[in-house]
Amino acid sequence: MSVTSRYRDAWEGFWREAPEEQGAVFWDASPTQTVGLHLALFEPKLRDPGLQMIDLGCGNGTQTRFLADRFNHVLGVDLSAAAIDHARHADPAGQATYRLLDATDKTEVETLHAELGDANVYMRGVLHQVDPEDRQQLVDGIATLVGERGQVFLVELAEAARPIIGGLAQDPEGPPAKLAPILRHGIAPGEVADDEVPELLRAAGLTILASGELPLITTEFRADGARIELPSKWHIAGRATS
């Protein structure tokens, strides 16, 4: 199974229009405020930090390049060719590598795993953007990529984020400038129940090793100058060890 053409086309349209500069996209916060905080939780629990690190849903590669400063083999993957173009353009030195991947497509994922072997996976704020019927396939794909030795760090918007985003979208003066393109392209954040993510991981054969909560930092600000932060929950998961 693979994602719908509507979903792919929405992301292509978004990334074709997105500015090149870092921070111009709603979720493109500095790595020190995002993956850097997550890595402090994730890295100490890695069974094998020498495995390939995959940034799943890498977008323009901001977080991927941070990972490439800390791991020897880093691959950013995304459904959108326009996003991959952004990532490569922003990484002229080739700190990381980038490629297209539909992580809900069993054949594509199995092909990548056969090429790379077991991998560690980082995924931030992707699942809530995926249609509900595709979420298990996505997490199953992650389970294939991590194999027996890898682990995944998955951070997702909490249920409590939805009314915050809804309030921003319905502001009488219009949504914040960086949120507006997301809504316009029909990729408004969907709702993932807090208890759904652990269920998806377990159904994929993964064991949750640690969980917690952190604010998901954005690049946008409220009218009073306060940075918009959204509640999120994180999970570290991998195959159970005997």
Side-chain angles (χ1 to χ4, degrees):
M1 181 178 181
S2 61
V3 297
T4 63
S5 58
R6 179 206 62 79
Y7 182 76
R8 188 189 303 270
D9 291 348
W11 279 108
E12 280 298 313
F14 173 82
W15 281 113
R16 279 197 300 268
E17 292 183 10
E20 290 283 350
E21 63 268 19
Q22 184 180 326
V25 172
F26 185 70
W27 54 80
D28 192 30
S30 166
T32 59
Q33 298 173 306
T34 50
V35 67
L37 301 179
H38 300 148
L39 196 58
L41 301 165
F42 186 30
E43 191 170 18
K45 294 188 178 297
L46 290 177
R47 293 173 187 152
D48 189 346
L51 297 178
Q52 180 89 40
M53 177 65 74
I54 298 175
D55 182 9
L56 201 164
C58 69
N60 62 1
T62 298
Q63 316 306 319
T64 321
R65 294 188 295 278
F66 184 93
L67 289 168
D69 281 338
R70 287 148 182 82
F71 297 96
N72 291 329
H73 308 287
V74 177
L75 172 66
V77 299
D78 202 281
L79 176 71
S80 165
I84 294 298
D85 287 344
H86 273 281
R88 288 174 174 155
H89 184 263
D91 188 8
Q95 288 177 274
T97 55
Y98 308 90
R99 66 194 286 175
L100 283 173
L101 180 75
D102 177 353
T104 70
D105 188 297
K106 189 171 185 289
T107 300
E108 286 191 34
V109 172
E110 288 178 344
T111 299
L112 182 59
H113 181 258
E115 176 185 333
L116 301 179
D118 292 353
N120 294 312
V121 176
Y122 173 73
M123 189 172 84
R124 176 179 69 111
V126 173
L127 199 59
H128 73 277
Q129 297 283 8
V130 176
D131 292 334
E133 61 270 22
D134 291 332
R135 289 173 188 160
Q136 189 63 63
Q137 283 81 4
L138 173 59
V139 180
D140 288 348
I142 292 172
T144 296
L145 293 172
V146 303
E148 296 300 320
R149 296 182 296 148
Q151 287 154 285
V152 58
F153 184 94
L154 188 158
V155 59
E156 196 53 56
L157 290 182
E159 287 180 43
R162 185 173 178 83
I164 297 174
I165 296 172
L168 294 169
Q170 295 166 17
D171 189 298
E173 297 184 4
K178 294 177 186 177
L179 181 61
I182 301 171
L183 303 174
R184 185 173 67 252
H185 285 282
I187 48 178
E191 182 174 355
V192 179
D194 290 344
D195 59 1
E196 181 180 351
V197 179
E199 290 173 0
L200 293 170
L201 290 166
R202 294 186 187 106
L206 299 177
T207 298
I208 295 174
L209 306 172
S211 299
E213 300 181 7
L214 276 176
L216 193 148
I217 308 298
T218 78
T219 62
E220 190 59 278
F221 296 85
R222 299 181 185 273
D224 63 3
R227 183 184 293 272
I228 296 172
E229 299 182 4
L230 301 173
S232 72
K233 294 181 180 292
W234 58 267
H235 302 279
I236 299 172
R239 302 289 181 188
T241 56
S242 55

